[in-house]
Amino acid sequence: MQRYNFKTIERKWQKFWDANNFFKSEIDKNKKKFYCLEMFPYPSGKIHMGHVRNYTIGDVLSRFKKMQGFNVLHPMGWDSFGMPAENAARLNNLDPKTWTENNIAIMRGQLKLLGLSIDWDKEISTCSPEYYKHQQKFFLEMLNKGLVYRKENYVNWDPIDQTVLANEQVIDGKGWRSGAIVKRKKLNQWFFSISKFSEELLSGLDQLQQWPNKVKVMQRNWIGKSFGCEINFQIKGNDPVDNIKCFTTRPDTLFGLSFLALSVDHPVAKFYEKNANFIKFKNECSKTGTTEESIAQAEKIGFKTNLTAINPLDKNIQVPVYFANFVLMDYGFGAVFGCPAHDQRDLDFALKYELNVIPVVKPKDLLKPYQIEKEAYTGPGVIFNSNFLNGLKAPEESINETIKILEKKKIGIKKINFRLKDWGISRQRYWGCPIPIAYNKSGKIVKIPEEMLPIKLPEKIDLNTKGNPLDHHNTWKKIIINGEECTMETDTLDTFVDSSWYFLRFCSSKNNDYGFDYDDVNYWLPVDQYIGGIEHAILHLLYSRFFMQAIGYKNNKFNHTEPFRGLFTQGMVCHQTYKNDKNQWLSPDEVDSEDGKNYFIKKNPKSIIKVGPSESMSKSKKNTIDPTEMINSYGADAVRLFILSDSPPEKDIQWSDQGMISAYKFLQKFWRMHIEILSQIKEKKVGLELDDNTLSKFTNLILEKIEKNLNNFQYNVIVASFHEIYNFLSKQIKKDITFSVLLENYLKILKIMNPIIPHFTTECMENLGYNNKELFWPVLDKKHVVEARANIVVQINGKKRCLINTVINIDENNLITTIKDDPAIKKYLSEKKIKKTIYIKNKLINILI
RNA sequence: GCCCUCGUGGUGAAAUUGGUAGACACAAAGGACUUAAAAUCCUUGCCAUUUAUGGAGUGCCAGUUCGAGUCUGGCCGAGGGCACCA
């Protein structure tokens, strides 16, 4: 018997799809569209199992939607700017462009082996001038709309990568890529005014019903809206400083004021620049570092100024002003008022410097005398010790009432504050999109005129310089604009800018005049299903949402402001880790095991290996499995089948060789059954009515189930259903079935299986005489789903006692009569009176005795 | 500290949304076929005596209900996110 030869068959159908333009998508306003997008890859050189999982999930959905008659857009591109290219180029003495293009060629080939239903005509690459010239236009457009600005700012400086990082790219005080401890440095930087859209970005989340709640919560926290009040404190005497503004969410505790605390970067600090003790204190603060641990453990310290602030509600309350290490300049006004009784931080500070602790919120139902010791009281209660605020219910009543009073007295203003900060986009790097800006001799900003775009990166560049290579390229830096000699901006854009609009580009990937065409975008957008890793929950997704706001700002040409209607975040692919006796990582192909418990090095069977926990596949831990190797050994369909099996797509999956092999074996045994079915159909057997119906019923039930699971992303359950199909069919075909009924049902089953194992099923269908040029999802035949008989669970006092097979829709009295005759139940019912019965039609009966 | 998610056999997991717990697979054990191996097929969650038959059972403790893996409250544990955010 012939084995299933995946190598020739998979190639055959990939060519067929290609030749018939199977996955080309064009705008067709008579058809319902479906835009399926997976996060595009960085071209590192090789695809990894994470890609395989990501793109298989998207492919299954795309194929399913296409079969359902949707006009599907399923494109692919490359997130191809970024630092690894520069580093690799330096190592291998290549230029980043060549390195990147080679990688793309390799990875494109690898992805094609998977048989993905991608419209390769729409392929884009962010490092090509064809792409980034439009990005430069967006930059200028946004600049004209006042959404881009330049300012001198403290930045997060990564000393290894020699570049600036966005706040989001600093993780635990370390660079997200290099892992180096980030330093503070003052630089002139370009910013996107993302914070201008804080409110829109926050409220937009409510529309996103098909996003995981987890991601929405993370974004909400990130945007960090808080309601409060801006309060202006007068400074006593004739100091050069006469007032200090503070932001507070608890204006109702103002009578508990005992100090003001300022950030060391607060404008007031300029009066202390020459004070040796202040300099010392400032250094002390910066030493604390930015790591999570140090922040948590850092002691609250302060530097006392000679200023005295006056409580605006009561001029007799006068308090000292400190600089303090726990106040941040980039939130609120970089100044807070301290109310130690009701804020733990303030209390810690007050205890250290022996400042007043005045409680102003009293808990209800107080049992013992009320005294603040080492713990601040932050719960609800009633305001006291507070003159005209006394008696207000805190916090629900007191905050709003106090704000009203403060506004009336012109002391404070109601204010909403966001945690979200503007997005710093300048990077001191070569391999990124050049910023279309130059500076004239007097240092003024000059916009590059549109006809001069794109500003291309220079091809020949010396990468072996410190800092930004573009800065050392003297000919590139010189540019003449309107006859005036200028110097190019040498910073390039953060690569997150590239990925913030690529989903728009796919809609009009060939448009030369503009990044996209509004008609195209308004047809395809929003992306109906976006699929990718949870690691992009905040940055990439928030930036993309911002771009829609910014590009559509003041022109209202977009029909939708949210780019991604559905979001699915898939889990990681994990594998066990292995270490030798010297604590060095070992790759899975270096080790072997006979019992699945004890492992040894293949070359040295006596060696002992420590088996570590299963972790997400990474080069550094050497626990990777090469997808192309797997495709070559088992075929794309087997790999697709395995990567979807066992674990739900949103959870992590364990790679197992046994699992991979079992997926392969499944296809082989299904193929053997297929050959048998073929010969039965050729025989033109005419069978018995009963077995025909059993088959039709099964087919339609499994269709119903798989369709539901496709819509819910329960792909692991679908793979389980495939096994059920085999287990059922391999037995059923041994019975008498009319050949035409067998053909019809089997064809239906192959179509249902098509999105997951497309090559295999297409080949099988061709064997049956199907032409494969059109492929539609089978229609559920309800008459076969309706059962003639039902298995009813019989419970006595809530305990299952037996199953009874009866005709469908039997009424309760008839059922009880039948049950009383059943030998398995008789013994429970003998001479007992039935108190009550609960009957769920065709499902269950509970008899209480 | 705050927020979110999740606890089901040796393992990955299913469970029509309150109605037969453990589908489907992996592993292990036993069996069939075979001179033998591979491949293939069959059986097996736990306890009580054995296939029949009972019993317990979805992290723990209560509650609602005829009936709870599913709903409510409390506790324990794991994972993730945020954090001197005023």
Side-chain angles (χ1 to χ4, degrees), chain A residues 676 680 685 729-737:
Chain A
E676 212 180 314
Q680 278 199 27
K685 249 200 311 197
L729 220 49
S730 58
K731 287 187 189 84
Q732 191 65 17
I733 54 167
K734 298 204 167 72
K735 298 177 181 167
D736 289 322
I737 303 168

Side-chain angles (χ1 to χ4, degrees), chain A residues 345-559:
Chain A
R345 258 175 344 192
D346 295 349
L347 183 61
D348 293 345
F349 190 81
L351 292 174
K352 184 174 166 84
Y353 294 100
E354 296 178 338
L355 302 164
N356 290 336
V357 179
I358 310 149
V360 290
V361 182
K362 193 161 47 174
K364 281 175 199 161
D365 311 322
L366 207 55
L367 292 175
K368 42 185 179 178
Y370 183 45
Q371 203 175 355
I372 302 288
E373 279 165 359
K374 281 183 176 166
E375 224 168 288
Y377 179 74
T378 53
V382 180
I383 303 286
F384 75 119
N385 272 349
S386 299
N387 197 337
F388 47 85
L389 298 179
N390 285 346
L392 290 171
K393 276 181 203 152
E396 66 273 20
E397 198 176 73
S398 59
I399 294 178
N400 284 331
E401 284 303 311
T402 310
I403 292 174
K404 274 185 203 160
I405 294 168
L406 292 176
E407 282 186 330
K408 222 181 219 168
K409 292 181 184 253
K410 298 210 160 75
I411 294 165
I413 315 166
K414 185 176 183 175
K415 199 165 178 220
I416 289 164
N417 220 338
F418 291 93
R419 205 187 78 107
L420 183 66
K421 286 159 212 145
D422 280 343
W423 174 14
I425 47 174
S426 296
R427 296 292 180 274
Q428 293 67 44
R429 281 282 143 192
Y430 164 67
W431 195 233
C433 173
I435 295 175
I437 289 291
Y439 304 94
N440 68 11
K441 275 182 185 157
S442 49
K444 272 200 170 162
I445 293 168
V446 181
K447 297 172 199 165
I448 309 285
E450 210 180 304
E451 62 274 14
M452 288 177 78
L453 296 182
I455 296 294
K456 288 190 191 173
L457 283 173
E459 299 243 330
K460 282 191 181 154
I461 188 100
D462 180 11
L463 291 171
N464 291 308
T465 54
K466 271 210 164 175
N468 185 356
L470 285 176
D471 220 17
H472 301 271
H473 197 296
N474 289 324
T475 49
W476 184 81
K477 273 165 76 179
K478 277 189 189 135
I479 185 165
I480 292 167
I481 299 167
N482 300 327
E484 192 184 10
E485 202 174 286
C486 298
T487 310
M488 272 305 300
E489 165 71 64
T490 56
D491 284 354
T492 52
L493 290 173
D494 179 5
T495 55
F496 274 109
V497 179
D498 310 338
S499 54
S500 294
W501 66 281
Y502 78 111
F503 50 89
L504 295 169
R505 183 66 183 162
F506 279 133
C507 300
S508 333
S509 58
K510 300 273 181 351
N511 195 341
N512 202 33
D513 305 325
Y514 196 66
F516 57 88
D517 185 282
Y518 277 97
D519 279 345
D520 298 352
V521 163
N522 283 332
Y523 174 76
W524 289 115
L525 243 54
V527 173
D528 294 277
Q529 191 62 57
Y530 196 33
I531 306 164
I534 185 76
E535 67 274 19
H536 292 112
I538 300 171
L539 311 183
H540 163 60
L541 291 170
L542 193 65
Y543 292 158
S544 299
R545 297 180 59 224
F546 159 69
F547 246 73
M548 290 292 288
Q549 297 279 349
I551 294 174
Y553 185 58
K554 286 187 177 166
N555 68 20
N556 295 320
K557 284 188 191 167
F558 282 136
N559 289 351

